[in-house]
Every structure is written in C-alpha cells, then in structure tokens.
Amino acid sequence: MLQQRPLLLPFLALAAGLAISDQTGWLLPGPVPAVALLCLLLSALLLRRTLFTVCVPLFFFVFGLCALSPWKNTAVPSDSIRSLPSSIPVILEGVVRSRPVVSPSGTALVVRTEHLIRAGRSEVASGDLLLFVSAGDVSLLRGDRIRFSTQVAVPRRLGLPGEFDYPRYLAFQGIAATGRVALPDQIVLIRGTAEDSLQRRVDLAARRLGDFIRASVPEVEESSVLTALLIGDQKRIPVELSTAYTRAGVNHILSISGFHVGIISYFIVMSILLLATRIEYCALRFNLRRTVLLLSLPAMLLYLLLTGSAPATARSVIMLTILVLAMYAERETDPLNALLAAAFLLVAVNPPTLFDISFQLSFLALWGLVVFVPPVMERYVTTDRSWLRAILQFVAASCAASLATAVPVLYAFNQASLNGIVSNFLIVPLLGYGAVLAGFSALPFVYLFPPLAHLLLGCAAKLVLVSNRLVELFAALPVVHFHGITGLDMALFLSFMCVVSFLHHRRTKLTLCVLLPVVAVAVHWGAPSGADGRLQITMLSVGQAESLLIRLPDGAIALVDGGGYLHDTGRDFGERTLGPALFKLGVRRIDHLILTHSHPDHIGGLPYVVRIFPVGRFWEALPGGAGEQYDQLRAALDEKRVPVRQLAAGDVISLSAGVDLTVLSPLPARKRSLERLDDTGMNDDSLVFRLDYRSFSMLFTADAGLPAEGRLVAGDARLAATVLKVGHHGSRHSTSEGFLRRVAPDLALISAGRGNRFGLPSSETLKLLRRQGVRVLRTDRDGTIRLVSDGMTWSVSSPYPPD
C-alpha cells in the first residue's frame, strides 16, 4: 500500500502534527525539526528502506508541530497595531494587501499598516489590519497606499461553547486586528500603485470584467451568480439567494473548483486544437494533442490568479496540472495519488490551509468521487448505452459527493442538504455547462468585441435566472438538522474513508466498515442523561448581553433571556451566537422559556430559539414587552402554539421536584403604558425571581435598578440567597448597599462584554461587593460560568475561558 501511495504517510503525519499543534498550542522550537531533517537525510544516505520509511513521516510530523509558529506566535512587537487602544480612533497609513471583497453588508480589505499618525508625527506601525467599509464599494486595488482613521479592535473569543473561533480564523490569514470606516470617502488614497505586481494587474482585469458583467446584467441576483461562477466573486450574492443554494444542496457550483476549471480547461484545449488543425504547418510539424495540453497550463494558472487563488481552486489546478503532465508524458495517472499530491503541496506550502473549511469540503467531495464512483460503475452498471451510462455515472457522482461531505457539513454547520442528489441534475447542466461556458466565452470579447460579450453574458444570465428559480423550489424541501456531531464522529468518519480507500484485505475492510458506524451510533445511543439530580445554572458569555441556562435535577431545561445585540446589525444573534452554544451544551428542547424584559440585549436570540427548538411554555413579566423583536417573538410563540403566562410578585412555580421559582417583581398592581415606557421604567419592571433547591438559592435580578431594589428591601420578601445575579450588568444604578446586605450572597455573577463602551461592571459596584466579602465572577473575564448544586453543596467553574 505504501508503495502505491507514497504520499499517504507523509500527509497523514503532517496533518496530525498540525492538528495537535492547533488544539494544544504546542510549538516545537526550530532546532527540533532541524534534527528531524538531519535524521531523514542520514536515513536516505544509509539506503535503509525501513529506516527511511520511518523517518519520512516522523520528519513531517515534527514539521507539523512547528509549522504554525508564524501564525500562533503570541509575542506582540512594540509597534504592532494590536497594542493600540481600542477606545479612541487612530490614523493609520499602509498598503492594500488583498483584493477588496464586496458583499451586501459592505466591503472588506486587508491593509499592511506601516505608519501611525499621532499628534502630527508619523510613527512606525506594523501588522495587517482587516478594514471594513460599512457601506459602498471602494475603488482601491492591491498595492495602493491609503490613509484612514479607525478604532483598532483585537478580536477575542467570548468564552462561549460552540462559538466560532474568529481570532484563530484571522490569525491564520495573518491579520492582527480589525477596523471599520463608515464610507469609502473616509479612506484617503495617498498613492495609487505604490507597489506594482502581477497579482495587482490580474486584480485590475478581474475588476474590469466584474464591472462589465454587472453593466451587462443589471439584475443583482443574476450578475452576482455570474461573477461568482466566472471570477470567484461570491460575496456579492444576496444572503437569501446564497442560503437558497445551500438548502438546495448546490452551493458547491458557486465556488470555483475542479468542476469549473476542468470544463474551462477542456474548452480551451478543444478550441485551440480546432484552430490548430486548420493550420497545415502546425498539423504537420507538431503532435497537436500533446502540445495543446501544455498550452492549457498557463491558462489554468492565469484563471487561478483571476479568481483569487482560493484553496479549492488551487487544489483543482494542481490536480489537473498533474493529469496534464502525465498525459503529455503518456503515463498512467492515479486520481487518489493526484488528490494526495495536491493536498500535500497546499498544506506544506501554507499549513493553515488544512483548517480552511472550503479546502476540507472540496477535498472530501473529490475523495468521495474518486473512491466510490469507479467501483459502483464497474460492479453495478453493465449497460452498453453511453447516454444511460453517463446518467448513471452522474447519479453516482452526485450521491458520492453529497454523502462524503454530509458528516463534515453537519459537524461545521449543524445542518446538511441531501437535496443536491436531485437538484444537481438540473442546476449543474444549467450553470456548469451552460452559464460557465457562455460566460467564459464572453470574457475575451470584453476586450476584443464588447457587443458580442454583452450578447453572450445575456445568454448566460438567462440560464442563471432559470437556475435561481429552480433553486428556490428545491430550497423549500427539508434539510437534515443534527447538532450532535462531535470530534469523535469526525475521527470515525475519516477512519472509515481511509479504510475504504487504502485497506485491501477484503475481510478486514468489511469488518471495519461495519464496526466504525456501529461505534459512532453506540456512542450517541449511550450518551448520559441530563437528569442527574443536580441543579446546573450556566451564565453564558454572550458579550454585553445576558442569557442563563438552567438544567433542572430531572433533566428539564429553562432558559432565562436570550442575549442580543444592543443595536440592529442585520444579523440574527440566536443563529450566530446563542443557538450554537445551546446545541453544544446538549440542549434539544426548552421546557421553560423566561423573558425578564424586552430590551434587545435580553430578547435578541429568543425568536430564533422559538423557531428552532421545541418550547414547552413561555413566561414573562407583567404586562409584557414592546418592540420589533418582541413582536417577532410573540409571533413565533403563536405559530408554535406555546402557552404564554405573565408573572408578577407573589407567583410561585414548581419547576421540578424540590425546585421552586418565586417571583419578587414586578408588582401585580403596577400600571404602565408600553408606548411611553423608557429604558429605566422597563428595567425596574424586569422580572426578578428567586430559585430555591433545598438549601441552595439564587436571586435573578435581570436589569432591575435602585427603585426596584428599594421596593424589595422595603417589603417582606425573603431576599437572602447563596448566589446573586447582579442587576443591570453591574451598573452603579443597581446593587445598593442595603439590598446587598439583605441578600448576603456568597457569590455574585455579572454578565458584561469585554471592553464595553459603558464601562460595566462599574468600579463602585465591584468595590461594594469586595467590601461585603462577596466572591465575584464575570463573563468578560471568566467566560461562561457554570454553577452546580446538589441542594446542599455547590461548586462553580469557568469551563470556557475567553482569550
């Protein structure tokens, strides 16, 4: 096997080293790989095959353990933009390092910073900045020198289970920090073409082609798909349309990969061959079929640069280059070895490529095609009719690609669409063979004869229009939702693929192919129950917002508030932040959904939760809430027919055996007008309640301020509690000294966002808690906080610390 697959062990060793380094943070010092390389060279000189076979994977494993050093190095130079304060704007100057990417939400470009302008003086600055332009398209290109004013932000993890590791994502792109400007005219062009390069000139050509496509096809839904298919500009596609392609299972067609490059390469080869055979001199003097193959190589390289050099495109170009060279040399090719060579080369040159989701899915889809389609066609397809054989091969390929990526897609996105098995029959011919060829044929005529280019793009746009309508129909079909795929499942899946691909002993292969899926199912089937007799309260680290998850002793789930964005961002907080955290914590149903008040930082994620999770009942403070998000929440509750109840002081609810919820505020007789309610009034009418489990208790105060606390202190309600959820994110307008003495907690929990502009929690509140001897944990410093009690004793931990 190793002789047939010489790159298998080196690639697996390199990938293992990179994965271990990424997960553990281990980074070997430089001398260690140097020693491993020396051992490899000595084993080669000694001509000992066994020793050499051991030293090769060992070297690449060691190389993997140190290869991420340039991206994982935590040392911050004194002139790095990461050391700049994030609270005040600064003026930066630098050179555009990347092609600007335009999307419906704005434009993004990477700037290599060189100077910081402070007090009229220029200082040296370093580090790449990802600059967002909130609205509009910029006319900048790679190599332009620019100056702008922005607040520099260093992205950090919240410390939330299931959150996307945005700092790691940026670090693997070499980006040190982010910034934002509102409009393109806030960026000053100091010098165009400050740095010239081939890639800049290619970017200029891509911009001209994209502008021509958009001018020829004014409809955004068609032009955006065309620019994605022809020059790799996917980000302009409207969010709704992109989501529809994903649900229809054909979003792969929008990402330029081997399919596109193969069709275009074949088109180029056949076009040149057709022309060359008409020239007598060429036909007599050259072996045209072999020579034309070589001519396709520079065309593929140029197309790679034109489309932005995405990992999936680079992988396909490398594989096709290997195939072309093998055909030119009249040598047999092995698709699996070509796939290994492409993956090995991409990862060795740029190690973070291994963690790029587009590379992973492209690699796995092609792996599935290479492994499953040939044996299926040989074993089960016996027809001699070419058209029927082609259709069956298309079915086999569609099934293989969909199934080979199903588990990884579920792992990454928690949903997968198998609709592509059917929709590929219509969408691939329309876009892959129709729109791509028509559009690609138009590109040269943009320069040579624009009217013909306009005509061809119009034809391509009609095909895209038909495709979009079909995609909308397929998107209405159900997709697979499953949120339980774990790292172990991924390891078992990859082991299964390796067994099918590389193991030749028939009985052993069959045994493992049955055993591995059985193990995966058994692990999920035997998962421990959440009913362990303990009360578990988790304060989720959701930034400058608030959400608490309660797992009752009988396994039932209660969710108190849903976090949210303070201002409308156009993004769904529940889908992006709260939902993944709940799924990661094993939540599949919300038995009790509790809203303390309808401010955006408490209600933002709840409409999504109600749409996605089964909800048993909903409770809110009397007399309800107000606002657009509240209306969305109530509409979702009505659609799901969830029972709704409004609570006021004096209500007592038994959540579980031994667990009681006692409402302390608002007062049942209090009257108010929601239309005239200001923020302070809504805060003081927040739902305040006490949770008791045997001798353990916790007081939830939402955003209640000093007036609400004064009413509680003046009343006769029992306020003493083991744990206090500090009111209003630790504001100085909550948690009075008299109230704190009545509660007398051992522990105080505060939900606040790191570096928030309100300065919360306030220094006055923190000093008061310290004077009272109360231990304080806060999400901005400790991340998600987990509290566990058996009713007699309790413990607290921070299982997901932030950066």
Side-chain angles (χ1 to χ4, degrees):
M1 181 183 70
L2 296 181
Q3 291 181 346
Q4 295 176 337
R5 315 286 182 208
L7 290 176
L8 176 59
L9 282 183
F11 177 71
L12 291 178
L14 176 60
L18 290 171
I20 292 173
S21 176
D22 178 54
Q23 292 297 315
T24 64
W26 294 347
L27 295 171
L28 295 182
V32 178
V35 172
L37 178 60
L38 180 61
C39 293
L40 177 61
L41 295 175
L42 288 175
S43 66
L45 293 174
L46 292 174
L47 300 178
R48 299 287 183 87
R49 174 175 294 182
T50 303
L51 182 61
F52 183 75
T53 303
V54 172
C55 287
V56 168
L58 177 63
F59 166 74
F60 284 105
F61 178 73
V62 172
F63 175 73
L65 289 176
C66 68
L68 294 178
S69 296
W71 296 273
K72 288 279 192 175
N73 190 359
T74 56
V76 179
S78 59
D79 60 357
S80 172
I81 56 176
R82 292 177 65 90
S83 61
L84 295 175
S86 60
S87 56
I88 57 174
V90 295
I91 299 176
L92 294 173
E93 184 178 307
V95 177
V96 178
R97 186 177 69 83
S98 71
R99 180 186 300 180
V101 177
V102 182
S103 69
S105 60
T107 303
L109 62 152
V110 179
V111 181
R112 187 183 72 243
T113 57
E114 296 179 346
H115 300 286
L116 166 67
I117 313 300
R118 184 156 41 189
R121 296 168 52 190
S122 178
E123 303 175 13
V124 176
S126 66
D128 287 353
L129 179 89
L130 179 59
L131 181 64
F132 295 99
V133 183
S134 299
D137 192 355
V138 299
S139 58
L140 301 170
L141 284 172
R142 190 191 312 255
D144 288 343
R145 186 178 300 281
I146 61 174
R147 181 180 293 181
F148 53 92
S149 175
T150 187
Q151 288 180 269
V152 176
V154 179
R156 303 183 187 279
R157 288 183 301 173
L158 293 171
L160 186 68
E163 74 173 307
F164 174 63
D165 196 342
Y166 189 52
R168 169 178 173 266
Y169 170 78
L170 292 181
F172 281 163
Q173 297 182 64
I175 295 171
T178 64
R180 183 178 293 275
V181 297
L183 298 169
D185 57 13
Q186 293 177 339
I187 302 174
V188 179
L189 177 62
I190 302 297
R191 180 186 174 189
T193 323
E195 295 180 359
D196 198 5
S197 64
L198 172 62
Q199 186 62 66
R200 174 189 168 84
R201 299 184 184 189
V202 173
D203 289 352
L204 184 60
R207 164 166 290 178
R208 179 175 176 181
L209 294 173
D211 290 343
F212 188 92
I213 292 170
R214 284 183 287 275
S216 300
V217 185
E219 293 79 10
V220 174
E221 290 193 342
E222 285 98 67
S223 63
S224 61
V225 172
L226 271 179
T227 54
L229 293 171
L230 299 177
I231 58 175
D233 189 2
Q234 280 185 270
K235 297 297 184 179
R236 292 179 184 266
I237 299 176
V239 175
E240 297 80 7
L241 183 59
S242 178
T243 302
Y245 270 85
T246 300
R247 290 184 59 88
V250 290
N251 59 320
H252 63 89
I253 199 72
L254 301 176
S255 175
I256 294 178
S257 60
F259 178 76
H260 304 74
V261 178
I263 289 176
I264 291 172
S265 299
Y266 180 78
F267 177 75
I268 291 172
V269 168
M270 297 308 295
S271 299
I272 296 176
L273 188 61
L274 180 64
L275 293 175
T277 53
R278 299 295 185 270
I279 303 174
E280 183 178 356
Y281 178 82
C282 294
L284 295 175
R285 297 293 298 271
F286 300 102
N287 185 333
L288 290 181
R289 292 188 177 276
R290 296 180 65 193
T291 304
V292 169
L293 282 174
L294 293 182
L295 292 178
S296 68
L297 296 181
M300 285 192 293
L301 179 60
L302 182 62
Y303 190 61
L304 173 65
L305 297 175
L306 183 70
T307 56
S309 304
T313 314
R315 187 267 308 155
S316 60
V317 168
I318 293 173
M319 290 190 64
L320 285 170
T321 299
I322 295 172
L323 177 63
V324 166
L325 293 176
M327 292 174 65
Y328 181 81
E330 298 181 349
R331 298 286 300 272
E332 291 186 5
T333 58
D334 186 313
L336 201 52
N337 278 339
L339 181 62
L340 278 171
F344 181 78
L345 183 59
L346 286 172
V347 174
V349 171
N350 185 33
T353 301
L354 181 68
F355 308 104
D356 186 285
I357 188 65
S358 65
F359 165 80
Q360 294 171 0
L361 295 180
S362 171
F363 179 84
L364 288 168
L366 194 54
W367 192 1
L369 292 175
V370 169
V371 169
F372 295 114
V373 174
V376 168
M377 295 299 295
E378 292 175 7
R379 187 177 184 87
Y380 300 106
V381 179
T382 58
T383 179
D384 294 329
R385 298 178 180 178
S386 58
W387 63 270
L388 180 57
R389 187 174 182 85
I391 292 176
L392 294 175
Q393 187 173 23
F394 191 91
V395 172
S398 183
C399 292
S402 298
L403 295 176
T405 55
V407 173
V409 167
L410 284 172
Y411 180 69
F413 305 109
N414 298 317
Q415 68 175 32
S417 174
L418 299 180
N419 300 330
I421 295 175
V422 178
S423 58
N424 277 328
F425 277 95
L426 298 175
I427 306 303
V428 169
L430 281 170
L431 294 186
Y433 299 116
V436 167
L437 285 180
F440 186 77
S441 301
L443 297 185
F445 294 106
V446 171
Y447 298 90
L448 301 176
F449 189 57
L452 180 57
H454 180 82
L455 178 62
L456 291 171
L457 287 172
C459 295
K462 296 301 181 184
L463 295 173
V464 171
L465 176 62
V466 175
S467 172
N468 289 349
R469 297 296 173 263
L470 291 172
V471 161
E472 291 173 358
L473 295 176
F474 285 113
L477 299 175
V479 297
V480 178
H481 289 275
F482 186 70
H483 302 269
I485 300 294
T486 64
L488 176 61
D489 294 317
M490 279 299 299
L492 292 172
F493 166 75
L494 292 175
S495 299
F496 177 86
M497 292 293 291
C498 287
V499 167
V500 173
S501 305
F502 307 119
L503 201 60
H504 297 300
H505 192 275
R506 183 179 179 84
R507 180 174 296 179
T508 305
K509 176 187 285 191
L510 182 61
T511 301
L512 290 176
C513 284
V514 173
L515 181 61
L516 290 172
V518 168
V519 170
V521 173
V523 168
H524 286 279
W525 192 269
S529 169
D532 59 1
R534 300 183 300 171
L535 177 67
Q536 303 176 42
I537 302 172
T538 304
M539 175 175 273
L540 300 172
S541 180
V542 289
Q544 188 56 34
E546 190 166 290
S547 182
L548 294 100
L549 179 72
I550 303 172
R551 191 181 296 271
L552 299 169
D554 62 359
I557 297 293
L559 180 66
V560 182
D561 289 339
Y565 301 112
L566 289 171
H567 305 287
D568 184 18
T569 64
R571 300 189 295 267
D572 190 328
F573 185 87
E575 181 180 11
R576 294 173 63 92
T577 304
L578 181 61
L582 297 178
F583 287 127
K584 186 69 173 180
L585 292 172
V587 176
R588 300 293 179 265
R589 171 184 169 85
I590 307 292
D591 298 281
H592 315 284
L593 184 60
I594 303 171
L595 174 64
T596 61
H597 63 298
S598 57
H599 276 166
D601 56 331
H602 289 254
I603 196 176
L606 295 187
Y608 172 84
V609 167
V610 175
R611 291 195 302 268
I612 299 301
F613 293 86
V615 176
R617 56 191 59 84
F618 172 74
W619 295 325
E620 64 177 341
L622 184 76
E628 181 181 353
Q629 291 179 320
Y630 181 76
D631 293 340
Q632 293 173 1
L633 173 62
R634 289 304 300 262
L637 291 168
D638 292 342
E639 183 180 349
K640 291 288 192 72
R641 298 183 179 179
V642 177
V644 175
R645 177 180 174 183
Q646 294 181 338
L647 304 177
D651 290 333
V652 179
I653 300 170
S654 178
L655 297 179
S656 176
V659 180
D660 295 323
L661 184 153
T662 304
V663 181
L664 305 177
S665 183
L667 297 175
R670 182 173 175 86
K671 304 293 184 181
R672 62 176 181 171
S673 171
L674 291 179
E675 290 76 19
R676 299 180 181 177
L677 187 66
D678 60 15
D679 283 353
T680 303
M682 187 177 287
N683 285 337
D684 285 331
D685 281 322
S686 296
L687 186 67
V688 178
F689 62 90
R690 172 194 173 91
L691 198 66
D692 291 282
Y693 180 42
R694 298 173 185 168
S695 64
F696 173 85
S697 58
M698 180 168 172
L699 187 62
F700 293 75
T701 57
D703 277 358
L706 298 178
E709 292 179 1
R711 292 197 303 270
L712 292 173
V713 171
D716 57 359
R718 187 162 67 96
L719 299 180
T722 313
V723 180
L724 169 66
K725 200 293 298 178
V726 175
H728 205 181
H729 314 283
S731 166
R732 62 187 177 89
H733 300 294
S734 296
T735 319
S736 66
E737 186 170 0
F739 178 75
L740 189 59
R741 286 177 178 171
R742 282 284 302 273
V743 179
D746 297 320
L747 175 68
L749 304 182
I750 301 176
S751 181
R754 181 168 182 162
N756 65 84
R757 61 188 178 91
F758 307 104
L760 300 177
S762 71
S763 57
E764 293 94 327
T765 301
L766 294 175
K767 289 177 182 177
L768 177 60
L769 290 167
R770 281 197 297 268
R771 284 201 307 268
Q772 298 294 327
V774 181
R775 181 185 176 189
V776 177
L777 291 178
R778 35 194 284 198
T779 57
D780 59 334
R781 294 186 176 179
D782 302 296
T784 293
I785 302 165
R786 184 168 180 260
L787 185 67
V788 180
S789 174
D790 60 2
M792 304 300 293
T793 61
W794 59 274
S795 62
V796 66
S797 62
S798 302
Y800 304 96
D803 290 334

